[in-house]
Amino acid sequence: MSKRAVAVLFACFCTVLAVYSIRYSYGTLLPEMLPVLGITNAEAGLIYSSYFIAYTVLSPVLGIISDRVDVRLLLAVFIALMGAGTFLMQYSNSLLQASLFFTLAGVGASAGWAPVMSLAQRWVSDKRRGMSLSLIDAGSSLGVMAAGLLAPLAVVYSGWQTGWMVLGIFGLALGLLNYLCIRNYPRNQAVRPAGRTAGWISSLGQTYKIILTDKRFWLIGLAYLLTGFAIIIPFTFLSTYAFKELSFSYDSATLLITIIGVGAITGKITLGPLSDKVGRIKIMLLCAALIGGGCLGIAYSRGWILMAICAVYGIGYGACWAMYAACAADFFSRQAAGGIIGLWTFLMGAGSIVAPIISGWSADVTGTLQWAFVIAGTAGVVSLVLLLPMLKVPRAETIKAP
């Protein structure tokens, strides 16, 4: 592997690390933010949803254009925007301010998945796609661990505002790293045309028309939607649930997020390479079972059993993202992978938008967050059901990008 390839993949890894550190630190900083902002669980969910609204709306757009524009500049600018929005979160003193600042963070983070995973696939071989993407996606698990370990330390010693400040500076630094390290294509790959002509637009439209009428796209996409719904609920309310309802100390409550991160790394380094041998769909089914079962287990577990359940849940959570990204090239087009991942991310984001609001509302109505995890577990089980028909769907010839 060339030095440039290593630099590009390292930048991809660090970008994923930054995006997920910021995304999941919200849940660990939330217990200390609630009394300061004076908001309900549903309103706390609304702040988180504001991030995902921006992320969801822009992800398919950036995914599609990342197949045609300078990804180096795209990732430099948008990841810096994510850092700026995160940095501003420390100054939040109302629901409106926090929502606006986290929306800006979501705008920047929208470039942190589909364009990154599409770019990474250009620099790795097809035979090791699952393993390579899983290793890059390990940045998300380290981000989860950082959210569970470092963010609480900032709260204990300096307050939740310091946590947002440090994360914001990290995001801004990653914008510069992306500009220095990233290149669009290896030298041995043909560079794609600029694609600004009417003919290219027509050809692009025809490609996505074919994709959007393919049942495989919708089975995977809807399963992804429910996976996003199920996953975001523990990351929003698990620490608050353990702290307020299960009488965990704040440190122990946030440690649960770190345990999920450890499980996630285990899932990536084992299930990612295994998917190259046994098939992506089989591993995705396993992930759905672990996520759905894990969420239900969280609802009815206590003490060390809850910690073990979090580790199991983390294995499924950790491995699933790279599997969905790899499926874009497995079943459709490697060259159009950014757009396909972006469209699936739009669906996943839709689930992530409504999940914190619905689960927060259920907690306000019932007086317990337990039902939030039951709802999450149900969504995980349904995602498994949606993927089952894919076991019988043959891999057709991939659709060629224009």
Side-chain angles (χ1 to χ4, degrees):
M1 185 177 292
S2 68
K3 291 182 180 179
R4 176 55 63 186
V6 171
V8 170
L9 296 177
F10 176 72
C12 289
F13 171 85
C14 291
T15 299
V16 172
L17 170 63
V19 169
Y20 281 83
S21 296
I22 290 168
R23 179 186 298 184
Y24 293 136
S25 287
Y26 180 81
T28 56
L29 295 172
L30 181 60
E32 298 298 321
M33 293 173 61
L34 282 172
V36 175
L37 298 182
I39 56 177
T40 66
N41 288 315
E43 288 172 332
L46 182 61
I47 295 172
Y48 213 5
S49 293
S50 68
Y51 169 99
F52 282 105
I53 288 171
Y55 180 87
T56 300
V57 170
L58 288 174
S59 285
V61 177
L62 294 181
I64 291 171
I65 68 173
S66 69
D67 294 321
R68 292 285 165 172
V69 303
D70 184 358
V71 182
R72 176 191 187 191
L73 184 61
L74 181 76
L75 290 178
V77 171
F78 275 82
I79 297 304
L81 282 176
M82 178 187 70
T86 304
F87 186 84
L88 291 172
M89 281 291 286
Q90 66 181 303
Y91 301 111
S92 302
N93 55 30
S94 68
L95 173 65
L96 178 60
Q97 282 188 342
S99 298
L100 289 175
F101 294 151
F102 220 32
T103 296
L104 178 59
V107 169
S110 62
W113 181 249
V116 170
M117 299 308 274
S118 175
L119 173 68
Q121 292 187 61
R122 301 172 192 170
W123 291 82
V124 299
S125 71
D126 289 339
K127 293 181 179 179
R128 294 184 174 87
R129 185 184 299 124
M131 179 182 69
S132 300
L133 295 187
S134 292
L135 290 176
I136 291 169
D137 189 34
S140 67
S141 299
L142 292 178
V144 171
M145 295 174 67
L149 285 174
L150 302 182
L153 285 177
V155 171
V156 170
Y157 291 104
S158 300
W160 59 268
Q161 293 91 342
T162 301
W164 287 122
M165 180 186 70
V166 173
L167 288 166
I169 293 172
F170 183 37
L172 290 167
L174 256 295
L176 177 60
L177 177 70
N178 284 336
Y179 187 78
L180 294 175
C181 292
I182 285 177
R183 297 294 183 273
N184 279 2
Y185 290 92
R187 291 182 177 179
N188 61 348
Q189 287 188 25
V191 177
R192 304 293 165 188
R196 296 183 180 180
T197 64
W200 175 80
I201 294 174
S202 175
S203 182
L204 179 68
Q206 184 63 28
T207 297
Y208 286 102
K209 181 179 178 180
I210 295 171
I211 291 170
L212 291 172
T213 56
D214 191 321
K215 70 176 182 179
R216 300 172 302 169
F217 173 87
W218 289 106
L219 284 171
I220 296 171
L222 292 175
Y224 202 21
L225 183 154
L226 291 168
T227 297
F229 184 101
I231 281 174
I232 206 61
I233 291 174
F235 281 108
T236 307
F237 291 119
L238 178 58
S239 295
T240 302
Y241 174 61
F243 180 56
K244 291 191 171 183
E245 297 189 34
L246 303 184
S247 300
F248 278 52
S249 67
Y250 176 71
D251 291 343
S252 296
T254 54
L255 181 62
L256 295 175
I257 302 299
T258 302
I259 292 173
I260 291 175
V262 173
I265 290 180
T266 303
K268 292 179 197 302
I269 63 177
T270 57
L271 300 184
L274 183 61
S275 74
D276 290 325
K277 297 180 180 179
V278 305
R280 226 73 68 187
I281 297 300
K282 290 179 181 178
I283 300 301
M284 290 162 69
L285 285 167
L286 176 59
C287 290
L290 295 174
I291 291 167
C295 288
L296 293 172
I298 289 171
Y300 298 105
S301 300
R302 301 291 186 273
W304 68 268
I305 298 177
L306 175 59
M307 295 182 179
I309 291 293
C310 287
V312 171
Y313 164 85
I315 292 173
Y317 150 77
C320 74
W321 304 115
M323 298 302 97
Y324 280 97
C327 269
D330 284 346
F331 291 100
F332 301 99
S333 167
R334 180 172 180 171
Q335 286 71 40
I340 297 166
I341 297 170
L343 291 170
W344 281 340
T345 303
F346 178 84
L347 295 172
M348 185 276 292
S352 299
I353 288 169
V354 300
I357 298 174
I358 292 174
S359 56
W361 172 81
S362 72
D364 291 335
V365 169
T366 63
T368 176
L369 282 163
Q370 186 178 40
W371 281 103
F373 301 108
V374 173
I375 294 170
T378 303
V381 172
V382 176
S383 73
L384 184 153
V385 173
L386 286 172
L387 288 172
L388 282 173
M390 287 296 299
L391 288 172
K392 299 180 180 180
V393 176
R395 280 185 55 179
E397 291 185 6
T398 56
I399 300 167
K400 295 182 179 179

